Amino acid sequence: MRLRPASAADSAALLSLWNAAAPLTPLNEALLQENVFGDDGADTDTRYVIEAADSLIGFAMGVTRSGDGETRGSVKMLAVAPEARGQGHGARLLEAVERILSERGARRLEVCGAAPNYLCPGVDERYVEGLAFLERRGYRPVGSALDMRVALAGREFPTDAETARLHARGVTVRRAGADDQAALDGLLDEFGGSWAREVAISMAAAEPRVHLAFDGEALLGFSAWGGNNAADGGFGPMGTRPAARGLGIGGVLLKRCLADLRDAGFESAVIPWVGPVAFYEQQVGARVTARYVRLEKVLE
C-alpha cells in the first residue's frame, strides 16, 4: 500500500473511487476537476492517494485559505473504498493532510466546507460511519447546514408581475454588465465572507450569470449562479440589503437565475448551504435534499 501525491493522471480512478465511497455526494468529471484540480482559491492545497496494486483505495485533500488575519484549514475531501475500510487507510490519509495544514499555519480545521470552492458544506448526516471515524480523531460538531434542490425541466419562472410592482416603486432588475462591477464589489464587501470570489467567476462568463436590482444608482441586491459546482447547476450566492427586504426583490432575482439554469440545460438546480428554507420552498417549491454536520478540530 503506497501513499503518494495525487495527480491529474489519477482523475478517472479518483472519480470511480469517490463515487463508490461517497454515493450520496456523487461527482462527475467536471465537478471532480473543479473541486480537486481547479481550486485556485486555495493558498495551499495537498492531495494524497493510497494505491494498492493498480487501483486507488483512498483519497484525501486539504486546503488552506487566508482571511481576517488567520489561516483556515479544511479537510476538503476524504474517501476510502468500502472494501478497504477498517485497515487504517483513512487515518493515514487524514494524518498526512493534517500535518501539511498545520505546517502551513492552520490551527483550526474544518471538514468539507472550504468556501468559496466547496463540494458540500459539511458531512452528510447519513454517513454515520464517517462521522464516527472523524469524531474518534478529535473532530467535534459545531453546526449544521442544508442543501435544497429545485426542479427546472419544463418549468416557467415568470417574473413580469413582480417586476412591474417593483418598477412602480422605482426598482429595476436586470442582468449585470461590466459597468456594474464597482457597485457589485461594494455590496459584496458589505456582506463579507467568501461571496466575492464566487460572484467573480459568475461575472467572468461570456454572458454574466448575475442579476441585479437597482433603485436608481443604488444597488439593492444580487443573485448569481455557476460560481461554485457549476457542473451540478449550482445556484448562489444571493443577497439583498436589509433595508430593501420584503419588497419581493429576492424572489425575482432567484427566478431570473433559475430560468438561466433551465435554459443552460439543467434539469434541476442545487441551492447549497441554505439559510431561509421557507423562502425557497414558497418561491419555487425547492425541497431539502441533504443535511450536513459541520465539524472542526483544534490542533495542539
Side-chain angles (χ1 to χ4, degrees), residues 2 11 30 51 54 60 66 84 90-91 120 139-140 154 182 227 230 245 269 279:
R2 183 165 71 105
S11 292
E51 191 173 40
D54 295 325
S66 58
C120 51
Y139 290 84
R140 298 290 177 259
R245 292 171 188 168
F279 167 80

Side-chain angles (χ1 to χ4, degrees), residues 115-222:
N117 181 319
Y118 61 91
L119 178 61
C120 51
V123 180
D124 192 304
E125 66 181 11
R126 293 168 289 182
Y127 290 133
V128 177
E129 181 182 355
L131 287 167
F133 165 82
L134 289 163
E135 291 195 29
R136 288 195 300 270
R137 282 153 183 83
Y139 290 84
R140 298 290 177 259
V142 294
S144 60
L146 302 172
D147 278 0
M148 302 182 80
R149 191 173 282 271
V150 56
L152 303 177
R155 291 186 61 183
E156 298 295 326
F157 295 97
T159 60
D160 289 350
E162 297 103 312
T163 300
R165 283 194 292 272
L166 288 171
H167 187 72
R169 303 186 65 140
V171 177
T172 59
V173 180
R174 59 173 173 77
R175 188 179 300 277
D179 291 344
D180 298 314
Q181 190 65 61
L184 183 55
D185 288 344
L187 181 57
L188 291 169
D189 284 345
E190 292 182 26
F191 284 111
S194 63
W195 284 2
R197 187 263 181 189
E198 294 178 58
V199 174
I201 294 172
S202 300
M203 283 291 288
E207 181 178 59
R209 301 167 178 172
V210 180
H211 294 267
L212 305 174
F214 284 92
D215 181 355
E217 297 295 319
L219 180 57
L220 303 181
F222 79 98

Side-chain angles (χ1 to χ4, degrees), residues 5-283:
S7 72
D10 295 313
S11 292
L14 279 176
L15 186 63
S16 177
L17 166 64
W18 182 268
N19 287 335
L24 302 175
T25 322
L27 291 173
N28 56 32
E29 176 63 25
L31 279 173
L32 182 139
Q33 293 300 325
E34 178 182 350
N35 280 278
V36 178
F37 298 109
D39 193 342
D40 57 5
D43 297 311
T44 300
D45 57 46
T46 183
R47 312 168 193 86
Y48 289 112
V49 293
I50 291 182
E51 191 173 40
D54 295 325
S55 64
L56 302 185
I57 60 171
F59 166 68
M61 178 179 180
V63 300
T64 61
R65 307 197 196 280
S66 58
D68 299 324
E70 68 171 344
T71 298
R72 296 180 291 120
S74 175
V75 182
K76 183 177 178 180
M77 301 172 74
L78 176 65
V80 175
E83 68 276 10
R85 292 174 185 165
Q87 302 172 39
H89 302 309
R92 188 179 177 195
L93 286 162
L94 185 59
E95 288 167 5
V97 168
E98 288 180 340
R99 182 173 60 255
I100 293 295
L101 298 181
S102 176
E103 289 173 357
R104 298 301 185 269
R107 291 296 170 261
R108 184 184 302 270
L109 306 183
E110 64 178 342
V111 181
C112 303
N117 181 319
Y118 61 91
L119 178 61
C120 51
V123 180
D124 192 304
E125 66 181 11
R126 293 168 289 182
Y127 290 133
V128 177
E129 181 182 355
L131 287 167
F133 165 82
L134 289 163
E135 291 195 29
R136 288 195 300 270
R137 282 153 183 83
Y139 290 84
R140 298 290 177 259
V142 294
S144 60
L146 302 172
D147 278 0
M148 302 182 80
R149 191 173 282 271
V150 56
L152 303 177
R155 291 186 61 183
E156 298 295 326
F157 295 97
T159 60
D160 289 350
E162 297 103 312
T163 300
R165 283 194 292 272
L166 288 171
H167 187 72
R169 303 186 65 140
V171 177
T172 59
V173 180
R174 59 173 173 77
R175 188 179 300 277
D179 291 344
D180 298 314
Q181 190 65 61
L184 183 55
D185 288 344
L187 181 57
L188 291 169
D189 284 345
E190 292 182 26
F191 284 111
S194 63
W195 284 2
R197 187 263 181 189
E198 294 178 58
V199 174
I201 294 172
S202 300
M203 283 291 288
E207 181 178 59
R209 301 167 178 172
V210 180
H211 294 267
L212 305 174
F214 284 92
D215 181 355
E217 297 295 319
L219 180 57
L220 303 181
F222 79 98
S223 62
W225 66 275
N228 189 62
N229 292 329
D232 195 28
F235 167 79
M238 180 174 78
T240 303
R241 279 199 165 99
R245 292 171 188 168
L247 300 179
I249 292 171
V252 174
L253 290 169
L254 167 65
K255 291 171 186 175
R256 294 283 179 93
C257 281
L258 295 182
D260 283 356
L261 282 156
R262 177 204 61 206
D263 294 345
F266 291 97
E267 295 191 354
S268 65
V270 179
I271 306 171
W273 220 317
V274 174
V277 170
F279 167 80
Y280 291 108
E281 288 178 339
Q282 293 164 5
Q283 289 289 329

